Amino acid sequence: MHFSKTRYVTFCQQLLVTACVLATAVAAAGVVNLDIVAPTPDAGSMEPAVTVGDAYVNTAPVTPKVRQVAFHGVDRSRPKKEQPTRDGLRLAVVSPAEKATGLATVGVTWNQADQLSEAQLQVDVRTRKNGRWSTWTALEYHDDHGPDPSEAEGRRERAGTEPSVVGHVQSVQVRAWTASGREPRDIKLAVIDPGEGRLKHEAPAIDTATLDQPATQPIAQPSAQPSAQPSAQPSAQPSGSAAPASGDLALSAMAVSPKPRIFSRAQWGANEKLREQSAPSYGTIKTGFVHHTVNANNYSRDDVPKLLRSIYAYHVEARGWRDIGYNFLVDRFGRIWEGRWGGVNKAVVGAHTLGYNEVGFAMSAIGNFEEVQPRQAVLDAYAELFAWKLSKYDIRADASKLWVKDRYLQAINGHRDVGQTACPGRYLYAQIPKIRQMAAKIQRGTTSTPKPTPKPTPKPTPTPRPPTVPPVGRPITPQSASALPARSDVLGSKWPDLFVRDKATGRIFVVPTAGQFGFTRKVLTSGAWASYDAIVAPGDLNGDGKGDLFVRNRRTHVAMVLPGNGSGRFRLPIRRSAAYAGYTWLTAAGDFNKDGNADLVARDARKRLVLLAGTGKATFRSPVVIAATWNYHRPYGVGDFDRDGRPDLVANSQAGTLRLFPGRRTSLGTPRVLPVSMTGVDAVLGGDFTADKLPDLVLRHGDTGTIEVLPGTGTGSVSHALGPFRSLRDWHAVSGGQLIGNARADAIGVVGDKLAIITGNGRTNVSAPVTSNLTRPTTGRLMNVGDWNGDGHADLATRAHGGNGIWLWRGNGAGRFKSQVLLGTGFAKFRRIAPVGDVTTDGHPDLVGKEPGGMMTIFPGNGRTGLKPRFRAPTRLRAFNQIGAALWNATRAPASLLVSADGSYVPYAGADAAAALAKTADTSYDWVVGAGDVDGNRVPDLLARERSTGYLWLVPGTRSGTGLGARRFVAAGFAKYDLGG
């Protein structure tokens, strides 16, 4: 079919009118958001062709109006079976209708103490327009969108949904569905009007080509308090001060890619007084993330500043973040907008990808790309920004195996690659391989080819000589500890590893740490649990193969069985009986009489210990006396503790000693004293908590609320205690059992009116040492330097006592090493050398040495097998092997450093750091190794060996960065090693 020009114009006009009529009809129907739901390319409405290089922007700051309204749960007076349910969730709360103005955005927040997974919560919203309510539509919720817990904003944030634009409507209403049927604590509805403001047509204010500084120029340090006022001239730099230099040492060997142009915060009307006024946090860049905002898809170009202000206001005012969460945002027209304040060319720590905010940056596409395809302009913007940002850190956009904190990632990732989330939507996520290819092509197009130089006449290779240390140190931004790479993983797991040397043979071993044993909360169930005076988990009582509970009512003394479902939940009670009213100290005894059924033991009214043998049908046989006189405290079943094939009991004696009573089918054997202090202990739990197939003891100290785990040896005794842990601090009616259905025992107890169940986390403090191929009897120092040469495997550096040279041994990821390479010389005057991770933020690990006068010198790694020119460290520097927010301070005396006998050290960690470490033990440590995050809480820790015992201890760092936590036992048997690092 062919149209004349006149007929073609008429056809287009008619098509436009039809589209407008349809849009009006949709709006009248009360559609909740502005989304186009067809999974087709986002062609947009009938707008003129987009010019990426300009926009209508705000001429002055605009303050959004944010109204937060608390609301409460639904009426539960109706029978439970009549309460609405959906997808296994129960309706928990419905808000009143709330007025909405402007281009409204809504979100729901609650107290972050209620940590709900995406499977445990669903939130809906509906809107009213022209007197008609729309249908309910889901509000997106992702529990790993936000700041890291180590950041101040992470500690004060409120949990919440994603903000959703509902458009120009009269009122809004939300409802929430939860697994428990109870609303999250302090739940609030946030309704945001972004305001209008005056607009004018402008080009992007930030030309990133003017921001990069040459490597030879010193970089300004940040001022302590940046100005709170917005800059008159929009800039990528923070107002009132030069941004810190994170990422701008310009040590990259890669040419920086063509620079994108970016619309500034001032251009979308950001009121800088809303955000936190302290200096921003800076990390480093190891990778980049693609996000989407889950907002409207058919917004106009002029709507974009309003959308940005709404997201900004929701993140700051409702969620409690310091600023908008994303580093950059891109609209559907391909225009890039500055997100979090602090400098677009800096490594500003955002609040976008939980766990990776300090090692990555993120750009979020404005729209819901679970429903529509992204435009080509959006893909182009991602390619241009990521090519530029990654090239500044010498990262190829198509790199596919980068070690980032605790795993291998690609240079460009979707949020779902590191979290259980749908972000950035299936259609945008599917385009990430294309974005990588486009960005890599941009990078390759900017790589310059060096001019050939005449081949020099070969000369003998001189001995490397260290360059002169510059008189003034190059400024380096103090970094957050979690921003630094996990340098000490030698064997390919995510946990740090330790190098040790056998003092008898000189052989080098690798000791893997494995995350540190602890407890994980699994189930918290509401109910009348406080009304029971006995809650016992004997095992399977009804023969269905799942752990059950035996409970007794405190007031009526009626006992009953609650059948378990294998996941910590229970069905309605069965087998009610008053026959157990006269018993005290009811406790689980395992299959005590070896008939295949779970049993109980109890003390009767005559103070005899009796066996209540289970039948497998949720009932018990007549009592059998197994101890005619019981002169001990409450007995606890601990399984087959002496490995003779029969379950055993333990009990505290009147003298305060814990005794083991071997089981003898219908009696007890001769008790023996266990090497356990019972001072302050008010409960004992038994079972295999450490998953080594041997029963353990768990002691709860009632005065402090702490617990310690004594691993069983299989010979009727225990080894050194693990802990302390605070997992049972507020519990009562504590006992042990197996209810969740894994190989580990569970701890159960009552917290308030809820039943709590926790289990061991399945981790072991250390695994068996791995023998390397190195024997180095003359080495005086072992240093785990991380992946020094960039091949993906951690490497070892060694140094003779007071030696002038340091040697590099390249690892293969399995505990084996290639032949040594001279890393550098000129170290004779540096008594102490420490591997500190990547403090120069160029992507390569570094070393730091302490000069005789106390000053620190940085030895930057070159990413291969050598060093770049050294330079003096600033007085403020963050290193990987330090505690919390500790800083080096060159004015402090050497005693302020935590020093090991082998010449290693951990930098100064506050005025009382050395004293704090000393207080953790009665004797001194002869090793102090900054191994990184050993216990998995994203805060660096110490591993220290006790000189007198050879015990290895974990001395944890604290999130506050001040002081050290209480030490925890890691392992025995380290006395045979004479070096550790």
Side-chain angles (χ1 to χ4, degrees):
M1 180 184 297
H2 297 280
F3 286 132
S4 68
K5 182 175 180 180
T6 302
R7 291 182 64 192
Y8 179 75
V9 171
T10 302
F11 171 78
C12 291
Q13 291 173 338
Q14 292 173 340
L15 182 62
L16 178 58
V17 170
T18 301
C20 293
V21 171
L22 288 174
T24 302
V26 169
V31 176
V32 170
N33 52 39
L34 307 175
D35 295 351
I36 299 172
V37 297
T40 56
D42 178 17
S45 56
M46 303 293 288
E47 297 186 76
V50 175
T51 302
V52 174
D54 55 23
Y56 281 95
V57 300
N58 287 93
T59 59
V62 180
T63 302
K65 298 177 182 177
V66 181
R67 190 171 75 261
Q68 299 188 69
V69 183
F71 54 104
H72 304 286
V74 299
D75 180 11
R76 294 191 179 84
S77 61
R78 291 181 297 172
K80 185 175 180 180
K81 63 181 181 180
E82 296 181 10
Q83 295 179 14
T85 61
R86 184 178 72 184
D87 300 330
L89 304 178
R90 294 166 56 198
L91 182 62
V93 62
V94 179
S95 78
E98 294 295 335
K99 181 181 178 181
T101 58
L103 186 67
T105 292
V106 299
V108 175
T109 67
W110 58 91
N111 191 312
Q112 69 165 322
D114 286 342
Q115 298 182 359
L116 300 172
S117 70
E118 295 179 30
Q120 295 174 312
L121 173 74
Q122 293 179 16
V123 182
D124 301 329
V125 61
R126 68 174 181 172
T127 62
R128 186 170 59 188
K129 187 172 184 178
N130 299 327
R132 298 178 60 186
W133 282 104
S134 71
T135 57
W136 290 99
T137 302
L139 279 177
E140 292 285 333
Y141 166 56
H142 302 298
D143 56 356
D144 55 358
H145 276 196
D148 295 324
S150 58
E151 292 289 321
E153 60 183 321
R155 295 191 291 271
R156 68 170 181 260
E157 78 159 332
R158 288 174 58 81
T161 68
E162 299 301 303
S164 180
V165 177
V166 294
H168 294 277
V169 297
Q170 295 166 332
S171 54
V172 298
Q173 187 177 29
V174 295
R175 66 184 182 185
W177 309 72
T178 64
S180 66
R182 295 184 178 274
E183 74 272 16
R185 280 176 282 182
D186 191 25
I187 188 169
K188 293 181 181 179
L189 167 63
V191 183
I192 301 169
D193 179 347
E196 292 293 334
R198 298 179 60 184
L199 299 177
K200 68 175 180 179
H201 192 267
E202 280 187 359
I206 302 173
D207 182 357
T208 55
T210 65
L211 300 180
D212 298 316
Q213 303 180 45
T216 56
Q217 293 181 1
I219 300 162
Q221 291 285 64
S223 63
Q225 292 294 331
S227 169
Q229 301 300 325
S231 173
Q233 295 297 323
S235 169
Q237 303 291 354
S239 302
S241 69
S246 180
D248 281 319
L249 293 178
L251 300 177
S252 172
M254 178 184 292
V256 178
S257 295
K259 324 298 192 299
R261 300 185 70 191
I262 301 172
F263 289 92
S264 71
R265 290 169 60 91
Q267 289 181 298
W268 53 264
N271 185 341
E272 301 296 356
K273 293 181 180 180
L274 291 183
R275 61 170 172 79
E276 187 176 291
Q277 298 302 300
S278 61
S281 296
Y282 292 92
T284 189
I285 300 300
K286 300 292 182 185
T287 188
F289 295 98
V290 176
H291 284 253
H292 71 159
T293 64
V294 205
N295 258 313
N297 288 319
N298 63 343
Y299 51 86
S300 71
R301 286 180 291 174
D302 295 350
D303 285 336
V304 174
K306 301 175 191 176
L307 299 180
L308 293 173
R309 290 197 298 274
S310 294
I311 298 171
Y312 175 42
Y314 181 71
H315 285 177
V316 174
E317 298 285 314
R319 298 295 301 275
W321 300 353
R322 68 180 303 162
D323 195 354
I324 193 171
Y326 308 110
N327 301 106
F328 305 93
L329 297 100
V330 58
D331 60 32
R332 68 191 185 100
F333 311 105
R335 301 173 302 183
I336 302 172
W337 300 80
E338 180 184 14
R340 178 159 287 208
W341 178 83
V344 297
N345 63 329
K346 308 300 177 184
V348 180
V349 176
H352 44 77
T353 312
L354 185 65
Y356 297 89
N357 290 311
E358 292 180 330
V359 290
F361 69 99
M363 183 159 77
S364 189
I366 304 173
N368 187 345
F369 295 97
E370 190 70 16
E371 299 181 348
V372 301
Q373 292 279 3
R375 288 177 168 181
Q376 183 61 44
V378 174
L379 306 183
D380 291 341
Y382 268 110
E384 291 168 6
L385 182 84
F386 278 61
W388 168 68
K389 193 74 174 178
L390 293 171
S391 67
K392 287 169 57 62
Y393 294 84
D394 202 17
I395 300 173
R396 286 175 40 190
D398 57 356
S400 59
K401 194 175 182 181
L402 301 173
W403 184 254
V404 183
K405 290 191 69 173
D406 58 357
R407 67 178 71 188
Y408 285 107
L409 294 175
Q410 303 204 60
I412 302 176
N413 311 275
H415 184 192
R416 67 174 64 179
D417 291 324
V418 293
Q420 299 297 319
T421 174
C423 184
R426 53 180 170 167
Y427 295 113
L428 180 53
Y429 185 78
Q431 296 297 324
I432 292 180
K434 181 178 180 180
I435 292 173
R436 294 187 189 113
Q437 295 173 359
M438 295 166 60
K441 184 176 181 180
I442 292 172
Q443 288 183 335
R444 286 192 299 269
T446 61
T447 304
S448 58
T449 304
K451 295 181 180 180
T453 55
K455 187 175 182 180
T457 303
K459 294 182 180 180
T461 303
T463 302
R465 299 182 63 185
T468 303
V469 177
V472 179
R474 179 183 300 169
I476 296 179
T477 303
Q479 293 196 66
S480 176
S482 58
L484 293 156
R487 63 172 180 80
S488 50
D489 169 23
V490 179
L491 300 175
S493 74
K494 68 177 183 178
W495 303 108
D497 300 322
L498 182 68
F499 287 116
V500 295
R501 184 179 68 181
D502 187 287
K503 62 184 177 184
T505 64
R507 176 62 61 90
I508 306 298
F509 292 85
V510 182
V511 179
T513 69
Q516 302 302 295
F517 171 81
F519 289 88
T520 301
R521 184 179 295 274
K522 291 292 186 182
V523 180
L524 197 65
T525 304
S526 299
W529 301 102
S531 66
Y532 300 128
D533 64 353
I535 301 176
V536 186
D540 178 18
L541 294 176
N542 63 354
D544 65 355
K546 299 172 183 177
D548 306 316
L549 283 182
F550 177 90
V551 299
R552 187 177 63 187
N553 186 280
R554 187 185 310 277
R555 182 177 58 84
T556 65
H557 305 297
V558 172
M560 62 197 80
V561 172
L562 304 181
N565 66 357
S567 61
R569 307 290 183 184
F570 305 92
R571 300 195 297 276
L572 295 176
I574 59 175
R575 306 301 190 197
R576 297 175 183 269
S577 173
Y580 305 96
Y583 294 106
T584 57
W585 294 344
L586 287 152
T587 192
D591 183 10
F592 195 86
N593 62 359
K594 303 300 291 181
D595 67 351
N597 299 315
D599 306 322
L600 297 176
V601 295
R603 189 179 68 170
D604 66 11
R606 298 169 59 182
K607 297 186 178 181
R608 301 176 302 180
L609 200 66
V610 299
L611 171 68
L612 303 173
T615 64
K617 300 178 181 179
T619 59
F620 297 91
R621 303 185 191 281
S622 299
V624 175
V625 177
I626 58 177
T629 302
W630 187 252
N631 296 321
Y632 302 93
H633 295 293
R634 176 177 180 168
Y636 296 91
V638 293
D640 184 9
F641 209 74
D642 55 8
R643 305 298 285 175
D644 66 351
R646 297 184 181 279
D648 306 313
L649 303 176
V650 297
N652 190 10
S653 71
Q654 301 294 339
T657 58
L658 188 66
R659 303 199 177 195
L660 175 70
F661 295 83
R664 296 291 184 264
R665 191 179 183 113
T666 58
S667 64
L668 296 174
T670 304
R672 52 182 129 150
V673 177
L674 294 175
V676 176
S677 171
M678 295 297 289
T679 302
V681 175
D682 67 347
V684 180
L685 285 65
D688 182 11
F689 288 89
T690 57
D692 60 357
K693 299 182 179 180
L694 296 175
D696 310 310
L697 297 181
V698 175
L699 309 183
R700 204 275 290 272
H701 296 266
D703 53 346
T704 63
T706 59
I707 61 174
E708 57 182 347
V709 179
L710 285 73
T713 62
T715 60
S717 189
V718 294
S719 57
H720 196 287
L722 305 176
F725 308 103
R726 302 187 67 83
S727 307
L728 308 184
R729 180 172 48 185
D730 302 320
W731 293 28
H732 62 274
V734 178
S735 62
Q738 200 158 32
L739 297 170
I740 298 180
N742 55 34
R744 300 185 294 277
D746 308 319
I748 65 174
V750 177
V751 181
D753 61 351
K754 296 184 172 85
L755 182 74
I757 305 175
I758 62 171
T759 190
N761 60 11
R763 299 172 183 169
T764 56
N765 287 351
V766 295
S767 301
V770 175
T771 306
S772 79
N773 59 329
L774 300 182
T775 300
R776 307 299 298 167
T778 60
T779 290
R781 178 82 169 93
L782 301 177
M783 290 178 281
N784 187 334
V785 294
D787 183 12
W788 191 273
N789 64 343
D791 65 353
H793 306 306
D795 306 314
L796 169 68
T798 61
R799 180 193 184 195
H801 287 288
N804 190 54
I806 293 180
W807 298 85
L808 179 70
W809 304 81
R810 292 157 293 170
N812 70 350
R816 312 289 287 182
F817 298 88
K818 299 178 182 178
S819 58
Q820 64 181 355
V821 177
L822 183 63
L823 188 65
T825 60
F827 293 97
K829 74 172 184 176
F830 294 91
R831 182 184 174 191
R832 307 194 184 282
I833 299 289
V836 289
D838 177 20
V839 297
T840 55
T841 69
D842 63 353
H844 310 310
D846 308 311
L847 300 175
V848 173
K850 186 175 78 71
E851 300 178 34
M855 298 298 295
M856 300 293 177
T857 297
I858 296 177
F859 301 88
N862 65 3
R864 298 181 295 278
T865 57
L867 297 165
K868 293 180 181 180
R870 68 180 69 171
F871 56 91
R872 182 154 294 160
T875 56
R876 289 171 56 86
L877 177 68
R878 181 179 292 281
F880 188 83
N881 65 347
Q882 69 185 73
I883 294 300
L887 301 172
W888 264 318
N889 189 329
T891 63
R892 293 280 176 174
S896 297
L897 299 176
L898 307 178
V899 179
S900 299
D902 64 354
S904 62
Y905 62 88
V906 176
Y908 167 74
D912 300 318
L917 183 62
K919 288 178 181 177
T920 63
D922 296 329
T923 57
S924 62
Y925 301 116
D926 56 355
W927 297 352
V928 180
V929 179
D933 180 13
V934 178
D935 57 6
N937 68 346
R938 300 177 184 154
V939 179
D941 309 306
L942 298 179
L943 288 174
R945 186 181 73 167
E946 195 170 28
R947 187 192 308 273
S948 59
T949 62
Y951 291 161
L952 190 67
W953 295 88
L954 171 70
V955 186
T958 59
R959 291 186 182 276
S960 65
T962 58
L964 303 167
R967 72 170 183 170
R968 297 201 294 269
F969 177 79
V970 174
F974 280 76
K976 64 182 178 180
Y977 304 119
D978 63 349
L979 285 182

